[in-house]
Coordinates of all heavy atoms in Angstrom, one line a residue:
M1 N 0.8 -1.2 0.0 CA 0.0 0.0 0.0 C 0.8 1.3 0.0 O 1.9 1.3 0.6 CB -0.9 0.0 1.2 CG -2.2 -0.7 1.0 SD -3.4 0.1 -0.1 CE -3.7 1.6 0.8
A2 N 0.4 2.3 -0.6 CA 1.1 3.5 -0.8 C 1.5 4.2 0.5 O 2.5 4.9 0.6 CB 0.4 4.5 -1.8
R3 N 0.6 4.1 1.5 CA 0.8 4.8 2.8 C 1.5 3.9 3.8 O 1.4 4.2 5.0 CB -0.5 5.3 3.3 CG -0.7 6.8 3.1 CD -2.0 7.2 3.6 NE -2.8 8.1 2.8 CZ -2.5 9.4 2.7 NH1 -1.6 10.0 3.5 NH2 -3.2 10.2 1.9
E4 N 2.1 2.8 3.4 CA 2.8 1.9 4.3 C 4.3 2.3 4.3 O 4.9 2.5 3.2 CB 2.7 0.4 4.0 CG 1.4 -0.1 4.6 CD 1.1 -1.5 4.1 OE1 2.0 -2.2 3.5 OE2 -0.1 -1.9 4.2
K5 N 4.9 2.3 5.5 CA 6.3 2.6 5.6 C 7.2 1.7 4.8 O 7.0 0.5 4.8 CB 6.7 2.5 7.1 CG 7.5 3.7 7.6 CD 7.5 3.5 9.1 CE 8.9 3.8 9.6 NZ 8.9 3.9 11.1
L6 N 8.1 2.3 4.0 CA 9.0 1.5 3.2 C 10.1 0.7 4.1 O 10.5 1.3 5.1 CB 9.7 2.3 2.1 CG 8.9 3.0 1.1 CD1 9.7 3.9 0.2 CD2 8.2 1.9 0.2
E7 N 10.4 -0.5 3.7 CA 11.5 -1.3 4.4 C 12.8 -0.6 4.0 O 12.9 0.0 3.0 CB 11.5 -2.7 3.8 CG 10.2 -3.5 4.1 CD 9.9 -3.6 5.5 OE1 10.8 -3.8 6.3 OE2 8.7 -3.6 5.9
P8 N 13.8 -0.7 5.0 CA 15.1 -0.1 4.7 C 15.7 -0.3 3.3 O 16.2 0.6 2.7 CB 16.0 -0.6 5.8 CG 15.0 -1.0 6.9 CD 13.7 -1.4 6.2
A9 N 15.6 -1.6 2.8 CA 16.2 -1.9 1.5 C 15.4 -1.2 0.4 O 16.1 -0.6 -0.5 CB 16.2 -3.4 1.3
E10 N 14.1 -1.1 0.5 CA 13.3 -0.4 -0.5 C 13.6 1.1 -0.5 O 13.7 1.7 -1.5 CB 11.8 -0.6 -0.2 CG 11.2 -1.9 -0.4 CD 9.8 -1.9 0.1 OE1 9.5 -1.7 1.3 OE2 8.9 -2.2 -0.8
L11 N 13.7 1.6 0.7 CA 14.0 3.0 0.9 C 15.3 3.4 0.3 O 15.4 4.4 -0.4 CB 14.0 3.2 2.4 CG 14.2 4.7 2.9 CD1 13.1 5.6 2.4 CD2 14.1 4.7 4.5
K12 N 16.3 2.6 0.5 CA 17.6 2.9 -0.1 C 17.6 2.9 -1.6 O 18.1 3.8 -2.2 CB 18.6 1.8 0.4 CG 20.1 2.1 0.1 CD 20.9 1.0 0.9 CE 22.4 1.2 0.5 NZ 22.8 0.6 -0.8
R13 N 16.9 1.9 -2.1 CA 16.8 1.8 -3.6 C 16.0 3.0 -4.2 O 16.4 3.6 -5.1 CB 16.1 0.5 -4.0 CG 16.2 0.2 -5.5 CD 15.2 -1.0 -5.8 NE 13.9 -0.9 -5.2 CZ 13.0 -0.1 -5.5 NH1 13.1 0.7 -6.5 NH2 11.8 -0.1 -4.9
A14 N 14.9 3.4 -3.5 CA 14.1 4.5 -4.0 C 14.8 5.8 -3.9 O 14.7 6.6 -4.8 CB 12.8 4.5 -3.1
L15 N 15.6 6.0 -2.9 CA 16.4 7.2 -2.7 C 17.4 7.3 -3.8 O 17.6 8.4 -4.4 CB 17.1 7.3 -1.4 CG 16.3 7.9 -0.2 CD1 17.0 7.6 1.1 CD2 16.3 9.5 -0.4
E16 N 18.1 6.3 -4.1 CA 19.1 6.3 -5.2 C 18.5 6.6 -6.5 O 19.0 7.4 -7.3 CB 19.9 4.9 -5.2 CG 20.9 4.8 -4.1 CD 21.4 3.4 -3.9 OE1 21.0 2.4 -4.7 OE2 22.1 3.1 -2.9
E17 N 17.4 6.0 -6.8 CA 16.7 6.2 -8.0 C 16.1 7.6 -8.2 O 16.3 8.2 -9.3 CB 15.5 5.2 -8.1 CG 14.9 5.1 -9.5 CD 13.5 4.4 -9.4 OE1 13.5 3.3 -8.9 OE2 12.5 5.0 -9.9
L18 N 15.7 8.2 -7.1 CA 15.1 9.5 -7.1 C 16.2 10.6 -7.4 O 16.1 11.4 -8.3 CB 14.4 9.8 -5.7 CG 13.9 11.1 -5.5 CD1 12.7 11.4 -6.4 CD2 13.4 11.3 -4.0
G19 N 17.2 10.6 -6.5 CA 18.3 11.6 -6.7 C 18.0 13.0 -6.1 O 16.9 13.4 -6.3
G20 N 18.9 13.6 -5.5 CA 18.8 15.0 -5.0 C 18.3 15.2 -3.6 O 18.3 16.3 -3.1
W21 N 17.8 14.1 -3.0 CA 17.1 14.2 -1.7 C 18.0 13.5 -0.6 O 18.7 12.6 -0.9 CB 15.7 13.5 -1.7 CG 14.7 14.3 -2.5 CD1 14.7 14.3 -3.9 CD2 13.7 15.1 -2.0 NE1 13.6 15.2 -4.2 CE2 13.0 15.6 -3.1 CE3 13.2 15.4 -0.7 CZ2 11.9 16.5 -3.0 CZ3 12.1 16.3 -0.6 CH2 11.5 16.8 -1.7
T22 N 18.0 14.1 0.6 CA 18.8 13.6 1.7 C 17.9 13.0 2.8 O 17.0 13.6 3.2 CB 19.6 14.8 2.3 OG1 20.3 15.4 1.3 CG2 20.5 14.3 3.4
L23 N 18.3 11.8 3.1 CA 17.5 11.1 4.2 C 17.9 11.7 5.5 O 19.1 11.9 5.8 CB 17.9 9.6 4.2 CG 17.2 8.6 5.1 CD1 15.7 8.6 4.7 CD2 17.8 7.2 5.0
A24 N 17.0 11.9 6.4 CA 17.3 12.5 7.7 C 18.0 11.4 8.6 O 17.9 10.2 8.3 CB 15.9 12.8 8.4
A25 N 18.7 11.9 9.6 CA 19.5 11.0 10.4 C 18.7 9.9 11.0 O 19.1 8.7 11.2 CB 20.3 11.8 11.4
D26 N 17.5 10.2 11.4 CA 16.6 9.2 12.0 C 15.9 8.3 10.9 O 15.1 7.4 11.3 CB 15.5 9.9 12.9 CG 14.6 10.8 12.2 OD1 14.6 10.8 10.9 OD2 13.8 11.5 12.9
G27 N 16.1 8.6 9.7 CA 15.5 7.8 8.6 C 14.1 7.9 8.4 O 13.4 7.2 7.6
L28 N 13.4 8.9 9.0 CA 12.0 9.0 9.0 C 11.5 10.1 8.0 O 10.2 10.2 7.8 CB 11.4 9.3 10.4 CG 11.8 8.3 11.5 CD1 11.2 8.7 12.8 CD2 11.3 6.9 11.1
S29 N 12.4 10.8 7.4 CA 11.9 11.9 6.4 C 13.1 12.1 5.5 O 14.2 11.6 5.7 CB 11.5 13.1 7.1 OG 12.7 13.7 7.8
M30 N 12.8 12.8 4.4 CA 13.9 13.2 3.5 C 13.6 14.7 3.1 O 12.5 15.2 3.2 CB 13.9 12.3 2.3 CG 12.6 12.3 1.5 SD 12.8 11.2 0.1 CE 11.1 11.3 -0.7
S31 N 14.7 15.3 2.7 CA 14.6 16.7 2.4 C 15.4 17.1 1.2 O 16.4 16.4 0.8 CB 15.0 17.6 3.6 OG 16.4 17.3 4.0
R32 N 15.0 18.3 0.6 CA 15.7 18.8 -0.5 C 15.5 20.3 -0.5 O 14.4 20.8 -0.2 CB 15.3 18.2 -1.8 CG 16.0 18.9 -3.0 CD 15.9 18.1 -4.3 NE 16.7 18.8 -5.3 CZ 16.8 18.4 -6.5 NH1 16.1 17.5 -7.0 NH2 17.6 19.2 -7.4
S33 N 16.5 21.1 -0.8 CA 16.4 22.5 -0.9 C 16.4 22.9 -2.4 O 17.4 22.5 -3.1 CB 17.7 23.1 -0.3 OG 17.4 24.4 0.2
F34 N 15.4 23.6 -2.9 CA 15.3 24.0 -4.3 C 15.6 25.4 -4.4 O 14.9 26.3 -3.7 CB 13.9 23.7 -4.8 CG 13.5 22.3 -4.9 CD1 12.8 21.7 -3.9 CD2 13.9 21.5 -6.0 CE1 12.4 20.3 -4.0 CE2 13.5 20.1 -6.1 CZ 12.8 19.5 -5.1
V35 N 16.6 25.8 -5.2 CA 17.0 27.2 -5.4 C 16.6 27.7 -6.8 O 17.1 27.1 -7.8 CB 18.5 27.5 -5.0 CG1 18.8 28.9 -5.2 CG2 18.8 27.0 -3.6
F36 N 15.8 28.7 -6.9 CA 15.4 29.2 -8.2 C 16.1 30.5 -8.6 O 16.9 31.0 -7.8 CB 13.8 29.4 -8.1 CG 13.1 28.1 -7.9 CD1 12.9 27.6 -6.6 CD2 12.7 27.4 -9.0 CE1 12.2 26.4 -6.5 CE2 12.0 26.1 -8.8 CZ 11.8 25.7 -7.5
K37 N 15.7 31.0 -9.7 CA 16.3 32.3 -10.2 C 15.8 33.5 -9.4 O 16.5 34.5 -9.2 CB 16.0 32.5 -11.7 CG 16.9 31.7 -12.6 CD 17.2 32.4 -13.9 CE 16.1 32.2 -14.9 NZ 15.9 30.9 -15.4
N38 N 14.5 33.4 -9.0 CA 13.9 34.5 -8.3 C 12.7 34.1 -7.5 O 12.3 32.9 -7.6 CB 13.5 35.6 -9.3 CG 12.7 35.1 -10.4 OD1 11.8 34.3 -10.2 ND2 13.1 35.4 -11.7
F39 N 12.0 35.0 -6.8 CA 10.9 34.6 -6.0 C 9.7 34.1 -6.9 O 9.0 33.1 -6.5 CB 10.4 35.8 -5.2 CG 9.2 35.6 -4.4 CD1 9.2 34.8 -3.3 CD2 8.0 36.2 -4.9 CE1 8.0 34.6 -2.6 CE2 6.8 35.9 -4.2 CZ 6.8 35.1 -3.0
S40 N 9.5 34.7 -8.0 CA 8.4 34.3 -8.8 C 8.5 32.9 -9.2 O 7.5 32.1 -9.3 CB 8.3 35.2 -10.1 OG 8.0 36.5 -9.8
E41 N 9.7 32.4 -9.6 CA 9.9 31.0 -10.0 C 9.7 30.1 -8.8 O 9.1 29.0 -9.0 CB 11.2 30.8 -10.7 CG 11.3 31.5 -12.0 CD 12.4 31.0 -12.9 OE1 13.1 30.0 -12.5 OE2 12.5 31.6 -14.0
A42 N 10.2 30.5 -7.7 CA 10.0 29.7 -6.5 C 8.5 29.5 -6.2 O 8.0 28.4 -5.9 CB 10.8 30.3 -5.3
F43 N 7.8 30.6 -6.3 CA 6.4 30.6 -5.9 C 5.6 29.9 -6.9 O 4.6 29.2 -6.6 CB 5.9 32.0 -5.7 CG 4.6 32.0 -4.8 CD1 4.7 31.9 -3.5 CD2 3.4 32.1 -5.4 CE1 3.5 31.8 -2.7 CE2 2.2 32.1 -4.7 CZ 2.3 31.9 -3.3
A44 N 6.0 30.0 -8.2 CA 5.2 29.2 -9.3 C 5.4 27.7 -9.0 O 4.5 26.9 -9.2 CB 5.8 29.6 -10.6
F45 N 6.6 27.3 -8.6 CA 6.9 25.9 -8.3 C 6.0 25.5 -7.2 O 5.4 24.4 -7.2 CB 8.4 25.8 -7.9 CG 8.8 24.5 -7.3 CD1 9.1 23.4 -8.1 CD2 8.9 24.4 -5.9 CE1 9.5 22.2 -7.5 CE2 9.3 23.2 -5.3 CZ 9.6 22.1 -6.2
M46 N 5.9 26.3 -6.1 CA 5.1 25.9 -5.0 C 3.6 25.8 -5.4 O 2.9 24.9 -4.9 CB 5.3 26.9 -3.9 CG 6.6 26.9 -3.3 SD 6.8 28.2 -1.9 CE 6.3 27.2 -0.5
T47 N 3.2 26.6 -6.3 CA 1.8 26.6 -6.7 C 1.5 25.3 -7.5 O 0.5 24.6 -7.2 CB 1.5 27.8 -7.6 OG1 1.8 28.9 -6.9 CG2 0.0 27.8 -8.0
R48 N 2.4 24.9 -8.3 CA 2.2 23.7 -9.1 C 2.2 22.5 -8.2 O 1.4 21.6 -8.3 CB 3.4 23.5 -10.1 CG 3.4 24.5 -11.3 CD 4.5 24.2 -12.3 NE 4.1 23.2 -13.2 CZ 4.9 22.6 -14.1 NH1 6.2 23.0 -14.1 NH2 4.6 21.7 -14.9
V49 N 3.2 22.5 -7.2 CA 3.3 21.3 -6.3 C 2.0 21.3 -5.4 O 1.5 20.2 -5.1 CB 4.6 21.5 -5.4 CG1 4.6 20.4 -4.3 CG2 5.8 21.3 -6.3
A50 N 1.6 22.4 -5.0 CA 0.4 22.5 -4.1 C -0.8 21.8 -4.7 O -1.5 21.1 -4.1 CB 0.1 24.0 -3.7
L51 N -1.0 22.1 -6.0 CA -2.1 21.4 -6.7 C -2.0 19.9 -6.8 O -3.0 19.2 -6.6 CB -2.3 22.0 -8.1 CG -2.6 23.6 -8.2 CD1 -2.5 24.0 -9.6 CD2 -4.0 23.8 -7.6
V52 N -0.8 19.4 -7.0 CA -0.6 18.0 -7.1 C -0.8 17.4 -5.7 O -1.4 16.4 -5.5 CB 0.8 17.7 -7.6 CG1 1.1 16.2 -7.4 CG2 0.9 18.1 -9.0
A53 N -0.2 18.1 -4.7 CA -0.3 17.6 -3.3 C -1.7 17.4 -2.8 O -2.1 16.5 -2.2 CB 0.5 18.6 -2.4
E54 N -2.5 18.5 -3.2 CA -3.9 18.4 -2.8 C -4.6 17.3 -3.4 O -5.4 16.6 -2.8 CB -4.6 19.8 -3.1 CG -5.9 20.0 -2.6 CD -6.0 20.0 -1.1 OE1 -5.0 19.9 -0.4 OE2 -7.1 20.0 -0.6
K55 N -4.4 17.0 -4.7 CA -4.9 16.0 -5.5 C -4.6 14.6 -4.8 O -5.4 13.7 -4.8 CB -4.5 16.0 -7.0 CG -5.6 15.8 -7.9 CD -5.1 15.9 -9.3 CE -6.0 16.7 -10.2 NZ -5.5 17.0 -11.5
M56 N -3.3 14.5 -4.4 CA -2.8 13.3 -3.8 C -3.3 13.1 -2.4 O -3.1 12.0 -1.8 CB -1.2 13.3 -3.8 CG -0.6 13.0 -5.2 SD 1.2 13.3 -5.1 CE 1.6 11.9 -3.9
D57 N -3.8 14.2 -1.8 CA -4.0 14.3 -0.4 C -2.7 13.9 0.4 O -2.7 13.1 1.4 CB -5.2 13.3 0.0 CG -5.6 13.6 1.5 OD1 -5.5 14.7 1.9 OD2 -6.0 12.6 2.1
H58 N -1.6 14.5 -0.1 CA -0.3 14.2 0.5 C 0.4 15.5 0.5 O 0.7 16.0 -0.6 CB 0.4 13.1 -0.2 CG 1.6 12.6 0.6 ND1 1.4 12.0 1.8 CD2 2.9 12.6 0.3 CE1 2.6 11.6 2.2 NE2 3.5 12.1 1.4
H59 N 0.8 16.1 1.6 CA 1.2 17.5 1.7 C 2.7 17.6 2.2 O 3.0 16.9 3.2 CB 0.3 18.3 2.6 CG -1.1 18.2 2.1 ND1 -2.0 17.2 2.4 CD2 -1.8 18.9 1.2 CE1 -3.2 17.4 1.8 NE2 -3.1 18.4 1.0
P60 N 3.4 18.5 1.6 CA 4.8 18.6 2.0 C 4.9 19.6 3.3 O 4.1 20.4 3.5 CB 5.5 19.4 0.8 CG 4.4 20.1 0.2 CD 3.1 19.3 0.4
D61 N 6.0 19.4 4.1 CA 6.3 20.3 5.1 C 7.4 21.2 4.4 O 8.4 20.7 3.9 CB 7.0 19.7 6.3 CG 6.1 18.7 7.0 OD1 4.9 18.6 6.6 OD2 6.6 18.0 7.9
W62 N 7.1 22.5 4.2 CA 8.0 23.3 3.4 C 8.0 24.7 3.9 O 7.1 25.2 4.7 CB 7.8 23.2 2.0 CG 6.4 23.6 1.5 CD1 5.4 24.1 2.2 CD2 5.9 23.5 0.1 NE1 4.3 24.4 1.4 CE2 4.6 24.0 0.1 CE3 6.4 23.0 -1.0 CZ2 3.8 24.0 -1.0 CZ3 5.6 23.0 -2.2 CH2 4.3 23.5 -2.1
S63 N 9.1 25.4 3.5 CA 9.2 26.8 3.8 C 9.9 27.6 2.6 O 10.6 26.9 1.8 CB 10.0 27.1 5.1 OG 11.3 26.7 4.9
N64 N 9.6 28.8 2.5 CA 10.1 29.6 1.4 C 10.8 30.9 1.9 O 10.2 31.6 2.7 CB 9.0 29.9 0.4 CG 9.3 31.1 -0.5 OD1 8.6 32.1 -0.5 ND2 10.4 31.0 -1.3
V65 N 12.0 31.1 1.5 CA 12.6 32.4 1.8 C 13.1 32.9 0.4 O 14.0 32.3 -0.2 CB 13.8 32.3 2.8 CG1 14.5 33.7 2.9 CG2 13.3 31.8 4.1
Y66 N 12.6 34.0 -0.1 CA 12.9 34.6 -1.4 C 12.9 33.5 -2.5 O 11.9 33.0 -2.8 CB 14.3 35.3 -1.2 CG 14.8 35.9 -2.5 CD1 14.0 36.5 -3.4 CD2 16.2 35.9 -2.7 CE1 14.5 37.1 -4.6 CE2 16.7 36.5 -3.9 CZ 15.8 37.1 -4.8 OH 16.4 37.6 -6.0
K67 N 14.1 33.1 -3.0 CA 14.1 32.2 -4.1 C 14.4 30.7 -3.7 O 14.6 29.9 -4.6 CB 15.0 32.7 -5.2 CG 16.5 32.8 -4.7 CD 17.4 33.3 -5.8 CE 18.9 33.3 -5.3 NZ 19.8 33.6 -6.3
T68 N 14.4 30.5 -2.4 CA 14.7 29.1 -1.9 C 13.4 28.5 -1.4 O 12.7 29.1 -0.6 CB 15.8 29.1 -0.9 OG1 17.0 29.7 -1.5 CG2 16.1 27.7 -0.4
V69 N 13.2 27.2 -1.7 CA 12.1 26.4 -1.1 C 12.7 25.2 -0.5 O 13.3 24.4 -1.1 CB 11.1 26.0 -2.2 CG1 9.9 25.2 -1.6 CG2 10.5 27.2 -3.0
D70 N 12.6 25.1 0.8 CA 13.1 24.0 1.6 C 12.0 23.0 1.9 O 10.9 23.4 2.4 CB 13.7 24.4 3.0 CG 15.0 25.2 2.8 OD1 15.8 24.8 1.9 OD2 15.1 26.2 3.5
V71 N 12.2 21.8 1.5 CA 11.1 20.8 1.6 C 11.5 19.6 2.4 O 12.6 19.1 2.3 CB 10.7 20.3 0.1 CG1 9.5 19.3 0.2 CG2 10.4 21.4 -0.8
K72 N 10.6 19.2 3.3 CA 10.7 18.0 4.0 C 9.6 17.1 3.7 O 8.4 17.6 3.8 CB 10.9 18.2 5.5 CG 11.2 17.0 6.3 CD 11.4 17.3 7.8 CE 10.3 16.9 8.6 NZ 10.4 17.1 10.0
L73 N 9.8 15.8 3.4 CA 8.7 14.9 3.1 C 8.7 13.7 4.1 O 9.7 13.2 4.3 CB 8.7 14.4 1.7 CG 8.6 15.4 0.5 CD1 8.7 14.7 -0.8 CD2 7.2 16.0 0.6
N74 N 7.5 13.4 4.6 CA 7.3 12.2 5.2 C 5.8 11.9 5.3 O 5.0 12.8 4.9 CB 8.0 12.0 6.6 CG 7.2 12.6 7.7 OD1 6.3 13.5 7.5 ND2 7.5 12.1 8.9
T75 N 5.4 10.7 5.6 CA 4.0 10.4 5.7 C 3.6 10.4 7.2 O 4.0 9.5 7.9 CB 3.6 9.1 5.0 OG1 4.1 9.2 3.7 CG2 2.2 8.8 5.1
H76 N 2.9 11.4 7.6 CA 2.6 11.6 9.1 C 1.9 10.3 9.6 O 2.2 9.8 10.7 CB 1.8 12.8 9.3 CG 2.3 14.1 8.6 ND1 1.5 15.0 8.1 CD2 3.6 14.5 8.4 CE1 2.2 16.0 7.5 NE2 3.5 15.7 7.7
D77 N 0.9 9.9 8.8 CA 0.0 8.8 9.2 C 0.9 7.5 9.4 O 0.5 6.7 10.2 CB -1.0 8.5 8.2 CG -2.0 9.7 8.0 OD1 -2.0 10.6 8.8 OD2 -2.7 9.7 6.9
A78 N 1.9 7.4 8.7 CA 2.7 6.1 8.8 C 4.0 6.3 9.7 O 4.6 5.3 10.0 CB 3.2 5.7 7.4
G79 N 4.3 7.6 10.0 CA 5.5 7.8 10.9 C 6.8 7.5 10.1 O 7.7 7.0 10.7
G80 N 6.8 7.8 8.8 CA 8.0 7.5 8.1 C 7.8 7.8 6.6 O 6.9 8.5 6.2
L81 N 8.7 7.2 5.8 CA 8.6 7.4 4.4 C 7.9 6.3 3.7 O 8.1 5.1 4.0 CB 10.1 7.6 3.8 CG 10.7 8.9 4.1 CD1 12.3 8.8 4.0 CD2 10.2 10.0 3.2
T82 N 7.0 6.7 2.7 CA 6.2 5.8 2.0 C 6.3 6.1 0.5 O 6.9 7.1 0.1 CB 4.7 5.9 2.4 OG1 4.2 7.2 2.0 CG2 4.5 5.8 3.9
E83 N 5.6 5.3 -0.3 CA 5.6 5.5 -1.8 C 5.1 6.9 -2.1 O 5.5 7.5 -3.1 CB 4.7 4.5 -2.4 CG 5.3 3.2 -2.8 CD 4.3 2.2 -3.4 OE1 3.3 2.6 -4.0 OE2 4.5 1.0 -3.2
L84 N 4.1 7.4 -1.3 CA 3.5 8.7 -1.6 C 4.6 9.8 -1.6 O 4.6 10.7 -2.4 CB 2.5 9.0 -0.6 CG 1.2 8.3 -0.8 CD1 0.2 8.7 0.4 CD2 0.5 8.7 -2.1
D85 N 5.5 9.7 -0.6 CA 6.6 10.7 -0.5 C 7.5 10.7 -1.8 O 7.8 11.7 -2.3 CB 7.5 10.4 0.7 CG 6.6 10.6 2.0 OD1 6.1 11.7 2.2 OD2 6.5 9.6 2.7
F86 N 7.7 9.5 -2.3 CA 8.6 9.4 -3.5 C 7.8 9.8 -4.7 O 8.4 10.5 -5.6 CB 9.1 7.9 -3.6 CG 10.2 7.7 -2.6 CD1 10.0 7.3 -1.3 CD2 11.5 8.1 -3.0 CE1 11.0 7.1 -0.4 CE2 12.6 7.9 -2.1 CZ 12.3 7.4 -0.8
K87 N 6.5 9.6 -4.8 CA 5.7 10.1 -5.9 C 5.7 11.6 -5.9 O 5.9 12.2 -7.0 CB 4.3 9.5 -5.7 CG 3.5 9.5 -6.9 CD 2.1 8.8 -6.7 CE 1.2 9.2 -7.8 NZ -0.2 8.9 -7.5
L88 N 5.5 12.2 -4.8 CA 5.5 13.7 -4.7 C 6.9 14.3 -5.0 O 7.1 15.3 -5.7 CB 5.0 14.1 -3.3 CG 4.7 15.6 -3.2 CD1 3.8 16.1 -4.2 CD2 4.2 15.9 -1.8
A89 N 7.9 13.6 -4.4 CA 9.3 14.1 -4.6 C 9.7 14.0 -6.1 O 10.4 14.9 -6.6 CB 10.3 13.2 -3.8
K90 N 9.3 13.0 -6.8 CA 9.5 12.8 -8.2 C 8.9 14.0 -9.0 O 9.5 14.5 -9.9 CB 9.0 11.5 -8.7 CG 10.1 10.6 -9.3 CD 9.4 9.2 -9.7 CE 10.2 8.1 -8.9 NZ 9.6 6.8 -9.0
R91 N 7.7 14.3 -8.7 CA 7.0 15.4 -9.3 C 7.8 16.7 -9.1 O 8.0 17.5 -10.0 CB 5.6 15.6 -8.7 CG 4.6 14.7 -9.4 CD 4.5 15.1 -10.9 NE 3.4 14.4 -11.5 CZ 2.2 14.8 -11.5 NH1 1.9 16.0 -10.9 NH2 1.2 14.2 -12.1
M92 N 8.2 16.9 -7.8 CA 9.0 18.2 -7.5 C 10.3 18.2 -8.4 O 10.6 19.2 -8.9 CB 9.3 18.2 -6.0 CG 8.1 18.4 -5.2 SD 8.6 18.8 -3.5 CE 7.1 18.7 -2.6
N93 N 11.0 17.1 -8.4 CA 12.2 17.0 -9.2 C 11.9 17.4 -10.7 O 12.7 18.1 -11.3 CB 12.9 15.7 -9.1 CG 13.7 15.4 -7.9 OD1 13.6 16.3 -7.0 ND2 14.3 14.3 -7.7
S94 N 10.8 16.9 -11.2 CA 10.6 17.1 -12.6 C 10.1 18.5 -12.8 O 10.5 19.1 -13.8 CB 9.6 16.0 -13.1 OG 8.2 16.6 -13.1
Y95 N 9.4 19.1 -11.9 CA 9.0 20.5 -12.1 C 10.2 21.4 -11.9 O 10.3 22.5 -12.6 CB 8.0 21.0 -11.0 CG 6.6 20.4 -11.2 CD1 5.7 20.3 -10.1 CD2 6.2 19.9 -12.4 CE1 4.4 19.8 -10.3 CE2 4.9 19.3 -12.6 CZ 4.0 19.3 -11.5 OH 2.8 18.7 -11.7
F96 N 11.2 21.0 -11.1 CA 12.4 21.8 -10.9 C 13.3 21.6 -12.1 O 14.1 22.5 -12.5 CB 13.1 21.3 -9.7 CG 14.4 22.1 -9.3 CD1 14.3 23.5 -9.0 CD2 15.6 21.6 -9.3 CE1 15.4 24.2 -8.7 CE2 16.8 22.3 -9.1 CZ 16.6 23.6 -8.7
G97 N 13.2 20.5 -12.8 CA 14.0 20.2 -13.9 C 15.3 19.3 -13.6 O 16.2 19.3 -14.5
S98 N 15.3 18.7 -12.5 CA 16.3 17.7 -12.2 C 16.0 16.8 -11.0 O 15.2 17.2 -10.2 CB 17.6 18.3 -11.9 OG 17.6 18.9 -10.6
Ligands
H2B101 N1 0.3 14.6 4.2 C1 1.4 13.9 4.6 N2 2.6 14.3 4.3 N3 1.3 12.9 5.4 C2 0.1 12.4 5.8 O1 0.0 11.4 6.5 C3 -1.1 13.1 5.4 C4 -0.9 14.2 4.5 N4 -2.2 12.6 5.6 N5 -2.0 14.9 4.1 C5 -3.5 13.2 5.1 C6 -3.3 14.6 4.6 C7 -4.6 12.9 6.0 O2 -4.4 13.8 7.2 C8 -6.0 13.2 5.4 C9 -7.1 13.1 6.4 O3 -6.2 12.3 4.4

């Protein structure tokens, strides 16, 4: 199931395949910092992601300062990382362009 915590081996493989994200020391979340050219691009990214997140009913923990968007993903309901986090992270990578 998409909302079930991934096993350590699956998690390792998924992270390698995804690229650009860092696993937290406790292994329960992953993060990435996206830096854009300016505030408008950062905010446009957040808008696109917000629409997908709402559709997925899966929401990022994030913050924005000027042209930087810091994102932390995990599945609160599962207390760790699930397929949903990887699905959303993949979308973010593709909107960012890497
Ligand atoms: N987002 C994230 N990141 N984790 C969740 O467990 C989660 C969510 N649960 N968005 C959803 C909403 C849940 O609270 C609602 C009721 O479906």
